[in-house]
């Protein structure tokens, strides 16, 4: 189980000196057992339910220098409140600890640890979300800005389907997303999206009797017994299931237009070693 070397704890929230802000205090806990936190800096931003960021102003000492192993420091920040009509929809504070300088494995600015806190609790009975275009009116912070109003349209060019919307242009081929970008903007995908049910193995994934006796997986009866008794590595089990050589075929690709939005539902069949394994349904 991975544990971040730094933990953040929300301590308290107080009304600011005026009605347009609030003061938030949180603890930074050093989980390192061998170093203090002077190599890190904090980055803060708050976001309301419309997806817009609010101004954050550090109060007092706002440094991690001198926070030794196992120690904690309480820091405070003044956060600008969202517009009155959005306050019942919630507000969230995000904290990031970043590297001040590059290391052999990580660049400067790399986020070592982060956390998010609800600093204005949403009102579940609030009706503002029905009157105001908000990204989120629940307990989870919005991860995007407000939607760009307008209608999405679809056009076909041979085997390719192009979806054009006010905020993006997407290209699909064979039921898979191959390209997405802003209108007149740069491509955002290095390659088309595809399912992957196999990953690079870790030490724990390779740990099994077959690690010490590789020949065991080549003998059907022996490998079956090892698998049944739980003595076969995850890597071997995955390979026996054919997850490393899956072949896919598109069973259906259905477009649906409702109002101003388009929906694509794709059903794919996955097979390995000449046998059907499972089916996956993907919805865009």
């Amino acid at each position: 189980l991975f544990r971040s070397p730094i933990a953040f704890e929300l301590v308290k929230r107080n009304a600011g000196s005026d009605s347009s802000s609030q003061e938030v205090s949180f603890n930074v806990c050093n989980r390192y057992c061998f170093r203090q936190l002077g190599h890190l800096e904090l980055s803060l931003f708050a976001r309301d339910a419309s997806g817009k960021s609010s101004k954050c102003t550090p109060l007092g000492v706002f440094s991690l220098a001198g926070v030794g192993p196992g120690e904690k420091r309480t820091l405070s920040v003044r956060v600008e409140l969202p517009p009155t009509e959005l306050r019942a929809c919630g507000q969230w504070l995000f904290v990031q600890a970043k590297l001040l300088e590059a290391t052999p494995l990580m660049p400067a600015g790399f986020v070592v640890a982060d956390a998010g806190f609800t600093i204005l609790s949403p009102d579940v009975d609030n009706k503002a979300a029905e009157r105001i275009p908000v990204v989120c009116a629940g307990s989870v912070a919005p991860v995007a800005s407000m939607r760009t109003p307008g209608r999405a349209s679809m056009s076909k060019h041979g085997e390719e389907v192009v979806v054009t919307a006010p905020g993006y242009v997407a290209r699909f081929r064979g039921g898979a997303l191959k390209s997405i970008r802003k209108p007149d903007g740069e491509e955002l995908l290095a390659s088309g999206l595809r399912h992957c049910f196999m990953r690079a193995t870790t030490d724990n994934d390779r740990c099994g009797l077959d690690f010490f006796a590789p020949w065991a997986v080549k003998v059907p009866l022996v490998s079956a017994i090892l698998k049944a008794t739980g003595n076969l590595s995850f890597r071997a089990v995955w390979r026996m299931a054919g997850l490393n050589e899956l072949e896919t075929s598109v069973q259906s690709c259905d477009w649906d237009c409702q109002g101003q939005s388009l929906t694509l539902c794709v059903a794919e069949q996955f097979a390995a070693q000449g046998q059907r394994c499972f089916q996956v349904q993907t919805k865009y």
Side-chain angles (χ1 to χ4, degrees):
L1 176 66
F2 171 78
R3 291 185 70 196
S4 169
I6 300 172
F8 298 99
E9 303 170 343
L10 184 64
V11 177
K12 62 180 179 179
R13 298 172 292 160
N14 295 323
S17 56
D18 54 47
S19 60
S20 62
S21 66
Q22 65 172 322
E23 295 181 7
V24 181
S25 298
F26 59 92
N27 287 333
V28 180
C29 309
N30 185 358
R31 286 176 172 168
Y32 283 114
C33 60
F34 57 90
R35 71 185 306 182
Q36 54 100 5
L37 301 181
H39 65 296
L40 301 173
E41 64 177 350
L42 289 179
S43 174
L44 301 169
F45 66 95
R47 185 168 289 163
D48 62 32
S50 71
K52 293 183 178 180
S53 296
S54 304
K55 182 179 179 180
C56 297
T57 305
L59 302 175
V61 177
F62 206 81
S63 170
L64 297 181
V67 183
E71 297 179 351
K72 67 173 60 176
R73 176 172 294 172
T74 301
L75 303 175
S76 299
V77 60
R78 179 179 290 111
V79 182
E80 180 184 18
L81 291 172
T84 304
E85 64 272 14
L86 284 175
R87 293 180 188 179
C89 297
Q91 187 182 33
W92 298 264
L93 175 67
F94 298 88
V95 187
Q96 296 177 330
K98 300 181 178 181
L99 287 177
L100 280 169
E101 299 179 356
T103 69
L105 296 178
M106 293 174 287
F110 180 83
V111 177
V112 176
D114 61 358
F117 304 110
T118 299
I119 56 176
L120 272 185
S121 300
D123 180 1
V124 295
D125 296 322
N126 175 50
K127 301 300 181 181
E130 300 176 4
R131 306 189 306 271
I132 306 170
V134 297
V135 177
C136 173
S139 60
V140 179
V143 295
S145 298
M146 292 174 59
R147 296 180 179 179
T148 304
R151 184 183 182 88
S153 61
M154 179 181 68
S155 60
K156 293 185 178 181
H157 303 273
E159 297 182 355
E160 187 175 77
V161 176
V162 179
V163 176
T164 304
Y168 67 90
V169 176
R171 298 179 181 274
F172 296 83
R173 188 181 302 113
L177 178 63
K178 298 296 184 182
S179 167
I180 186 168
R181 59 178 175 81
K182 288 186 176 181
D184 302 323
E186 296 182 1
E187 176 60 46
L188 300 179
L189 297 182
S191 61
L193 299 185
R194 60 188 180 89
H195 292 289
C196 180
F197 298 98
M198 185 73 177
R199 61 169 172 79
T201 55
T202 65
D203 292 344
N204 287 345
D205 297 331
R206 295 189 292 271
C207 185
L209 291 181
D210 54 289
F211 179 81
F212 304 98
W215 57 266
V217 295
K218 300 178 181 180
V219 182
L221 181 60
V222 175
S223 60
I225 294 175
L226 291 177
K227 180 181 178 182
T229 57
N231 291 308
L232 205 59
S233 69
F234 287 130
R235 177 179 181 271
V237 173
W238 295 342
R239 286 181 173 271
M240 287 176 62
L243 296 184
N244 62 315
E245 52 183 358
L246 288 172
E247 297 180 354
T248 180
S249 59
V250 178
Q251 303 297 302
S252 63
C253 185
D254 301 320
W255 287 92
D256 183 30
C257 180
Q258 295 182 353
Q260 296 184 334
S261 64
L262 292 168
T263 302
L264 170 61
C265 293
V266 182
E268 297 174 87
Q269 183 75 51
F270 287 83
Q273 302 170 357
Q275 296 183 343
R276 294 181 180 180
C277 296
F278 52 85
Q279 188 179 69
V280 173
Q281 291 186 331
T282 307
K283 185 176 181 180
Y284 296 93

